PDB file of all heavy atoms in Angstrom:
ATOM      1  N   LEU A  76       1.339  19.549  60.120  1.00 79.00           N
ATOM      2  CA  LEU A  76       0.390  19.476  59.019  1.00 79.00           C
ATOM      3  C   LEU A  76       0.159  18.047  58.556  1.00 79.00           C
ATOM      4  O   LEU A  76      -0.970  17.623  58.332  1.00 79.00           O
ATOM      5  CB  LEU A  76       0.866  20.344  57.861  1.00 79.00           C
ATOM      6  CG  LEU A  76       0.807  21.855  58.098  1.00 79.00           C
ATOM      7  CD1 LEU A  76       1.354  22.613  56.911  1.00 79.00           C
ATOM      8  CD2 LEU A  76      -0.627  22.296  58.373  1.00 79.00           C
ATOM      9  N   MET A  77       1.233  17.265  58.439  1.00 77.00           N
ATOM     10  CA  MET A  77       1.082  15.901  57.966  1.00 77.00           C
ATOM     11  C   MET A  77       0.465  14.993  59.028  1.00 77.00           C
ATOM     12  O   MET A  77      -0.071  13.936  58.710  1.00 77.00           O
ATOM     13  CB  MET A  77       2.430  15.344  57.501  1.00 77.00           C
ATOM     14  CG  MET A  77       2.963  16.036  56.253  1.00 77.00           C
ATOM     15  SD  MET A  77       4.489  15.323  55.624  1.00 77.00           S
ATOM     16  CE  MET A  77       3.884  13.808  54.893  1.00 77.00           C
ATOM     17  N   LYS A  78       0.539  15.410  60.279  1.00 78.00           N
ATOM     18  CA  LYS A  78      -0.076  14.623  61.357  1.00 78.00           C
ATOM     19  C   LYS A  78      -1.548  14.980  61.514  1.00 78.00           C
ATOM     20  O   LYS A  78      -2.376  14.112  61.829  1.00 78.00           O
ATOM     21  CB  LYS A  78       0.675  14.906  62.672  1.00 78.00           C
ATOM     22  CG  LYS A  78       0.254  14.008  63.831  1.00 78.00           C
ATOM     23  CD  LYS A  78       0.750  12.601  63.647  1.00 78.00           C
ATOM     24  CE  LYS A  78       0.425  11.722  64.854  1.00 78.00           C
ATOM     25  NZ  LYS A  78       0.773  10.308  64.624  1.00 78.00           N
ATOM     26  N   CYS A  79      -1.895  16.257  61.291  1.00 80.00           N
ATOM     27  CA  CYS A  79      -3.247  16.733  61.582  1.00 80.00           C
ATOM     28  C   CYS A  79      -4.183  16.722  60.396  1.00 80.00           C
ATOM     29  O   CYS A  79      -5.392  16.548  60.563  1.00 80.00           O
ATOM     30  CB  CYS A  79      -3.181  18.153  62.164  1.00 80.00           C
ATOM     31  SG  CYS A  79      -2.313  18.256  63.745  1.00 80.00           S
ATOM     32  N   VAL A  80      -3.665  16.952  59.197  1.00 84.00           N
ATOM     33  CA  VAL A  80      -4.533  16.983  58.017  1.00 84.00           C
ATOM     34  C   VAL A  80      -4.971  15.567  57.671  1.00 84.00           C
ATOM     35  O   VAL A  80      -4.141  14.684  57.453  1.00 84.00           O
ATOM     36  CB  VAL A  80      -3.812  17.639  56.819  1.00 84.00           C
ATOM     37  CG1 VAL A  80      -4.700  17.566  55.576  1.00 84.00           C
ATOM     38  CG2 VAL A  80      -3.465  19.090  57.127  1.00 84.00           C
ATOM     39  N   ASN A  81      -6.260  15.370  57.612  1.00 85.00           N
ATOM     40  CA  ASN A  81      -6.814  14.036  57.372  1.00 85.00           C
ATOM     41  C   ASN A  81      -7.596  14.043  56.065  1.00 85.00           C
ATOM     42  O   ASN A  81      -8.756  14.427  56.029  1.00 85.00           O
ATOM     43  CB  ASN A  81      -7.699  13.612  58.534  1.00 85.00           C
ATOM     44  CG  ASN A  81      -8.223  12.193  58.368  1.00 85.00           C
ATOM     45  OD1 ASN A  81      -7.678  11.407  57.599  1.00 85.00           O
ATOM     46  ND2 ASN A  81      -9.291  11.853  59.074  1.00 85.00           N
ATOM     47  N   HIS A  82      -6.942  13.689  54.994  1.00 91.00           N
ATOM     48  CA  HIS A  82      -7.594  13.634  53.688  1.00 91.00           C
ATOM     49  C   HIS A  82      -6.901  12.563  52.855  1.00 91.00           C
ATOM     50  O   HIS A  82      -5.679  12.403  52.917  1.00 91.00           O
ATOM     51  CB  HIS A  82      -7.512  14.995  52.984  1.00 91.00           C
ATOM     52  CG  HIS A  82      -8.357  15.067  51.747  1.00 91.00           C
ATOM     53  ND1 HIS A  82      -7.889  14.704  50.504  1.00 91.00           N
ATOM     54  CD2 HIS A  82      -9.644  15.473  51.556  1.00 91.00           C
ATOM     55  CE1 HIS A  82      -8.858  14.867  49.605  1.00 91.00           C
ATOM     56  NE2 HIS A  82      -9.923  15.343  50.210  1.00 91.00           N
ATOM     57  N   LYS A  83      -7.670  11.858  52.061  1.00 93.00           N
ATOM     58  CA  LYS A  83      -7.108  10.722  51.318  1.00 93.00           C
ATOM     59  C   LYS A  83      -6.100  11.136  50.268  1.00 93.00           C
ATOM     60  O   LYS A  83      -5.308  10.301  49.809  1.00 93.00           O
ATOM     61  CB  LYS A  83      -8.235   9.916  50.665  1.00 93.00           C
ATOM     62  CG  LYS A  83      -9.031  10.696  49.622  1.00 93.00           C
ATOM     63  CD  LYS A  83     -10.158   9.828  49.055  1.00 93.00           C
ATOM     64  CE  LYS A  83     -10.967  10.584  48.016  1.00 93.00           C
ATOM     65  NZ  LYS A  83     -12.051   9.736  47.453  1.00 93.00           N
ATOM     66  N   ASN A  84      -6.085  12.416  49.874  1.00 93.00           N
ATOM     67  CA  ASN A  84      -5.140  12.877  48.873  1.00 93.00           C
ATOM     68  C   ASN A  84      -4.003  13.714  49.469  1.00 93.00           C
ATOM     69  O   ASN A  84      -3.302  14.426  48.742  1.00 93.00           O
ATOM     70  CB  ASN A  84      -5.838  13.672  47.778  1.00 93.00           C
ATOM     71  CG  ASN A  84      -6.862  12.853  47.010  1.00 93.00           C
ATOM     72  OD1 ASN A  84      -8.018  13.204  46.920  1.00 93.00           O
ATOM     73  ND2 ASN A  84      -6.428  11.703  46.499  1.00 93.00           N
ATOM     74  N   VAL A  85      -3.860  13.653  50.792  1.00 91.00           N
ATOM     75  CA  VAL A  85      -2.753  14.314  51.488  1.00 91.00           C
ATOM     76  C   VAL A  85      -2.037  13.262  52.316  1.00 91.00           C
ATOM     77  O   VAL A  85      -2.667  12.523  53.073  1.00 91.00           O
ATOM     78  CB  VAL A  85      -3.248  15.458  52.401  1.00 91.00           C
ATOM     79  CG1 VAL A  85      -2.083  16.086  53.145  1.00 91.00           C
ATOM     80  CG2 VAL A  85      -3.990  16.507  51.585  1.00 91.00           C
ATOM     81  N   ARG A  86      -0.732  13.181  52.166  1.00 87.00           N
ATOM     82  CA  ARG A  86       0.029  12.139  52.867  1.00 87.00           C
ATOM     83  C   ARG A  86      -0.030  12.360  54.375  1.00 87.00           C
ATOM     84  O   ARG A  86       0.133  13.485  54.862  1.00 87.00           O
ATOM     85  CB  ARG A  86       1.474  12.132  52.400  1.00 87.00           C
ATOM     86  CG  ARG A  86       2.162  10.783  52.585  1.00 87.00           C
ATOM     87  CD  ARG A  86       3.517  10.783  51.935  1.00 87.00           C
ATOM     88  NE  ARG A  86       4.023   9.440  51.737  1.00 87.00           N
ATOM     89  CZ  ARG A  86       5.198   9.184  51.189  1.00 87.00           C
ATOM     90  NH1 ARG A  86       5.978  10.173  50.790  1.00 87.00           N
ATOM     91  NH2 ARG A  86       5.603   7.956  51.029  1.00 87.00           N
ATOM     92  N   HIS A  87      -0.197  11.271  55.098  1.00 81.00           N
ATOM     93  CA  HIS A  87      -0.370  11.322  56.550  1.00 81.00           C
ATOM     94  C   HIS A  87       0.813  10.659  57.247  1.00 81.00           C
ATOM     95  O   HIS A  87       1.384   9.693  56.735  1.00 81.00           O
ATOM     96  CB  HIS A  87      -1.659  10.596  56.943  1.00 81.00           C
ATOM     97  CG  HIS A  87      -2.018  10.715  58.391  1.00 81.00           C
ATOM     98  ND1 HIS A  87      -2.444  11.894  58.960  1.00 81.00           N
ATOM     99  CD2 HIS A  87      -2.001   9.794  59.378  1.00 81.00           C
ATOM    100  CE1 HIS A  87      -2.681  11.684  60.252  1.00 81.00           C
ATOM    101  NE2 HIS A  87      -2.413  10.430  60.529  1.00 81.00           N
TER     102      HIS A  87
END
Side-chain angles (χ1 to χ4, degrees):
L76 290 177
M77 293 184 74
K78 188 72 176 174
C79 297
V80 176
N81 184 19
H82 190 272
K83 64 182 180 179
N84 298 125
V85 178
R86 205 172 198 181
H87 186 70

